[in-house]
């Protein structure tokens, strides 16, 4: 993309309404624009990152054997009356009537809808196990929407629902989700720690929340410092293997890590003092096993081999896709702007032309742009007629992990400059080598 032809409405001023750094940078970098409280328009740069996160979530869900589909955002109240949640859900549910006076609502979550599809089409244990999921906009009329996309009213969520014949199978689905979430967040350059949580209105005994440590997090968390040394890495996992998923679960959940709702001071204090950590975290996902609560209420049953009809065991699993943009920025920025992890960056590499209009500089930039594009990478070429300082400030603000700077002086010596956004380190090298290096960095991503 050439910046002269892109739509990147960066702001010079720091917006007064933004209290935390991710919100400030998302507004300043022209990623989002508030439409009304807790509701945002996704401008091109923000939309690009949102799509990248969505893709990672899809890829990792499909890898784990889960099946994507899409439910409507507007739902009939009847189903929710059937499950018994319509009256209890409270003020967060946005309710409305259509022209015929029928009660409708904007989906805050979708247990009912998925269970309804299941009960209509699945009758036999032979069709199990089954995990269906969607990535769809949700609406919750939060009393205090704040922190930009972190606590919005309209937000993008991946929500998945497993249907299993037995508790044992459903717990495998739970473990499989835990493993798949670990992979998902690591690909986004995040460490998200699974913590024992409270199941709240969804109910059930098994639930973990995934938290990204950040000072601005809304949850207070308590954990054993050893947990932050754990990495999922690039290990291969057979998601159908009960043993393999169980082993990962035990490795990542055996140490103390809890949100304030489940915190147990006595157990925590039994840890050696130097390992006790009290911090704040951003909830980026949650998994639940809740048994047969919804399947019984809605009549989602299957025939077992001996011909009896049993309610299916279910769980639901959510990732806050739009909240993740904020969480990543909270975890990865400096005083100049965002620092995108390579896995989610909106463009792979910036190209800064120090002297637009100079024949050699323009030609070298075009050649770099062409070579990077031919390799399947997406560069952002700042080809505007602007001062170098302004170009650097924009690149730093929008946070591309790598930048190639091209100027007439360097070109006389046959070199351009390759700069790492995170470390600020630069090296001079011939243009072809800069391209090769950028390609190598992204080869495994
Ligand atoms: P919270 O406790 O933060 O209100 P929740 O536990 O009610 O969230 P879930 O029902 O578990 O949320 O939804 C799954 C994920 O969706 C959460 O882990 C979070 O990342 C995201 N999420 C929930 N509410 C919001 C919101 N208002 N804005 C943005 N993302 C949200
Ligand atoms: Mg939650």
């Amino acid at each position: 993309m050439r910046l002269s032809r892109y739509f990147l409405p960066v702001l010079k001023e720091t917006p007064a309404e933004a209290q935390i750094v991710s919100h400030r940078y998302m507004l300043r970098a022209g990623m989002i624009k508030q439409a009304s409280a807790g509701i945002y328009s996704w401008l091109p740069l923000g939309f690009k990152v949102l799509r990248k996160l969505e893709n990672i979530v899809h890829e990792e869900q499909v890898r784990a054997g889960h099946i994507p589909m899409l439910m409507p955002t507007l739902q009939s109240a009847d189903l929710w009356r059937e499950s018994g949640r319509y009256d209890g859900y409270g003020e967060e549910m946005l309710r409305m009537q259509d022209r015929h006076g029928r009660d409708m609502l904007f989906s805050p979550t979708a247990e009912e809808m998925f269970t309804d599809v299941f009960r209509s089409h699945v009758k036999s244990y032979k069709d199990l196990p089954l995990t269906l999921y969607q990535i769809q906009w949700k609406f919750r009329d939060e009393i205090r929407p704040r922190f930009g996309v972190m606590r919005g009213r309209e937000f993008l969520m991946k929500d998945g629902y497993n249907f299993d014949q037995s508790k044992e199978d459903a717990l495998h689905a739970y473990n499989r989700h835990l493993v798949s979430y670990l992979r998902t967040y690591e690909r986004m350059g995040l460490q998200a720690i699974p913590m024992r949580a409270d199941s709240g209105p969804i109910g059930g005994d098994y639930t973990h929340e995934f938290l990204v440590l950040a000072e601005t997090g809304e949850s207070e968390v308590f954990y054993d410092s050893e947990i932050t040394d754990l990495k999922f890495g690039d290990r291969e996992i057979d998601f159908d293997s009960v043993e393999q998923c169980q082993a990962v679960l035990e490795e990542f959940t055996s140490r103390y890590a809890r949100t304030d709702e489940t915190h147990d001071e006595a157990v925590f204090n039994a840890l050696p003092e130097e390992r006790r950590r009290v911090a704040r975290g951003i909830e980026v996902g949650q998994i639940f096993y809740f048994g047969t609560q919804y399947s019984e209420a809605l009549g989602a049953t299957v025939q077992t081999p001996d011909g009896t009809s049993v309610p299916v065991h279910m769980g639901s699993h959510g990732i806050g896709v739009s909240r993740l943009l904020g969480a990543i920025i909270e975890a990865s920025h400096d005083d100049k702007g965002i620092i995108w992890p390579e896995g989610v960056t909106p463009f792979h590499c910036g190209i800064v032309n120090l002297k637009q209009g100079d024949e050699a500089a323009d030609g070298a930039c075009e050649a770099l742009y062409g070579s990077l594009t031919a390799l399947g990478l997406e560069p952002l070429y700042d080809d505007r007629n602007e001062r170098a300082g302004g170009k650097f400030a924009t690149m730093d603000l929008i946070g591309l992990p790598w930048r190639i700077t091209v100027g007439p002086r360097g070109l006389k010596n046959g070199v351009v400059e390759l700069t790492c956004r995170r470390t600020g380190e630069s090296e001079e090298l011939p243009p072809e080598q800069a391209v090769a290096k950028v390609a190598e960095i992204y080869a495994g991503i």
Side-chain angles (χ1 to χ4, degrees):
M1 179 58 65
R2 290 162 209 278
L3 198 43
S4 63
R5 298 194 199 157
Y6 198 44
F7 180 61
L8 185 73
V10 296
L11 306 178
K12 293 238 161 51
E13 310 297 317
T14 296
E17 76 271 25
Q19 299 165 31
I20 61 170
V21 71
S22 58
H23 190 192
R24 279 199 292 278
Y25 283 157
M26 286 184 77
L27 291 169
R28 282 192 51 210
M31 298 177 70
I32 51 170
K33 179 181 186 309
Q34 183 173 310
S36 56
I39 303 179
Y40 290 88
S41 304
W42 291 83
L43 306 180
L45 193 74
F47 180 59
K48 212 157 191 301
V49 180
L50 189 68
R51 277 281 181 265
K52 286 220 164 173
L53 297 179
E54 246 186 287
N55 278 342
I56 292 176
V57 173
H58 271 305
E59 281 175 19
E60 293 304 326
Q61 284 301 303
V62 169
R63 190 195 304 277
H66 307 157
I67 304 169
M69 56 181 287
L70 193 63
M71 293 296 189
T73 52
L74 294 187
Q75 305 182 352
S76 154
D78 293 345
L79 252 185
W80 289 72
R81 292 202 173 98
E82 222 184 306
S83 74
R85 281 211 292 182
Y86 186 66
D87 292 325
Y89 209 96
E91 305 253 58
E92 278 188 16
M93 183 187 273
L94 182 65
R95 298 154 206 257
M96 65 202 95
Q97 288 193 334
D98 69 11
R99 67 199 299 166
H100 304 292
R102 281 184 290 245
D103 291 328
M104 309 283 293
L105 56 97
F106 197 117
S107 172
T109 175
E111 280 78 11
E112 282 78 359
M113 284 298 278
F114 276 86
T115 310
D116 181 51
V117 165
F118 180 89
R119 73 177 173 185
S120 308
H121 299 289
V122 181
K123 304 287 174 217
S124 163
Y125 74 95
K126 289 181 193 150
D127 297 321
L128 304 184
L130 182 65
T131 297
L132 303 171
Y133 79 93
Q134 65 173 345
I135 299 181
Q136 176 63 297
W137 294 95
K138 303 290 184 298
F139 195 94
R140 294 183 187 171
D141 205 352
E142 301 274 356
I143 187 161
R144 271 185 71 204
R146 58 190 178 144
F147 301 159
V149 299
M150 296 262 252
R151 184 162 296 284
R153 293 197 296 165
E154 187 186 56
F155 59 97
L156 191 62
M157 194 207 280
K158 170 259 159 181
D159 47 325
Y161 305 83
N162 67 283
F163 302 92
D164 287 278
Q165 195 188 329
S166 63
K167 177 171 180 182
E168 201 188 346
D169 288 358
L171 289 180
H172 172 58
Y174 184 89
N175 299 350
R176 196 175 63 227
H177 276 87
L178 188 132
V179 178
S180 134
Y181 279 24
L182 289 171
R183 270 193 71 105
T184 305
Y185 297 121
E186 275 198 26
R187 276 188 65 184
M188 296 172 179
L190 278 178
Q191 180 168 40
I193 304 172
M195 300 201 179
R196 272 245 310 265
D198 185 53
S199 64
I202 286 193
D205 297 334
Y206 295 81
T207 183
H208 279 91
E209 281 180 1
F210 288 77
L211 286 115
V212 171
L213 299 175
E215 280 162 27
T216 47
E218 290 184 291
S219 317
E220 185 168 36
V221 297
F222 303 82
Y223 63 95
D224 178 342
S225 64
E226 284 190 344
I227 207 161
T228 51
D229 297 334
L230 299 175
K231 294 271 173 304
F232 187 80
D234 53 8
R235 59 181 102 174
E236 288 295 325
I237 280 275
D238 173 1
F239 282 96
D240 289 334
S241 161
V242 171
E243 296 73 27
Q244 286 186 27
C245 291
Q246 181 73 40
V248 175
L249 174 97
E250 283 171 1
E251 179 185 345
F252 281 83
T253 63
S254 59
R255 290 173 186 76
Y256 191 90
R258 298 196 189 178
T259 61
D260 52 1
E261 295 151 339
T262 55
H263 177 54
D264 182 330
E265 198 68 25
V267 182
F268 186 60
N269 285 338
L271 285 175
E273 194 175 354
E274 69 279 8
R275 278 170 37 199
R276 277 179 243 153
R277 295 282 185 284
V278 181
R280 303 202 67 82
I282 302 167
E283 182 195 330
V284 292
Q286 187 162 12
I287 56 176
F288 298 91
Y289 161 71
F290 46 67
T292 56
Q293 174 184 336
Y294 293 92
S295 54
E296 281 182 45
L298 296 167
T301 57
V302 289
Q303 294 263 309
T304 58
D306 62 18
T308 52
S309 184
V310 296
V312 286
H313 287 255
M314 291 176 59
S316 68
H317 316 275
I319 293 182
V321 181
S322 50
R323 178 181 285 182
L324 273 165
L325 272 100
I328 293 170
I329 297 172
E330 290 297 327
S332 184
H333 67 268
D334 63 13
D335 56 5
K336 296 190 203 123
I338 303 165
I339 306 174
W340 292 115
E342 270 97 0
V344 303
T345 183
F347 294 96
H348 296 106
C349 173
I351 302 173
V352 170
N353 188 342
L354 292 179
K355 197 160 187 208
Q356 206 69 40
D358 176 88
E359 204 175 316
D362 291 2
C365 286
E366 288 297 332
L368 282 167
Y369 187 81
S371 314
L372 289 163
T373 308
L375 289 167
L377 296 168
E378 267 191 289
L380 180 68
Y381 171 22
D382 192 343
D383 59 344
R384 298 169 306 164
N385 229 331
E386 269 217 18
R387 293 214 327 274
K391 291 188 176 187
F392 289 144
T394 301
M395 284 294 174
D396 285 344
L397 174 63
I398 68 172
L400 309 186
W402 297 92
R403 184 186 81 207
I404 301 177
T405 308
V406 180
R409 208 177 316 150
L411 287 175
K412 281 206 184 101
N413 302 320
V415 293
V416 295
E417 194 181 57
L418 179 65
T419 307
C420 172
R421 173 71 181 85
R422 189 172 297 279
T423 63
E425 281 165 20
S426 290
E427 65 176 313
E428 293 198 327
L429 67 190
E432 319 78 65
Q433 280 181 30
V435 169
K437 189 145 185 206
V438 173
E440 194 187 311
I441 288 159
Y442 285 103
I445 292 171

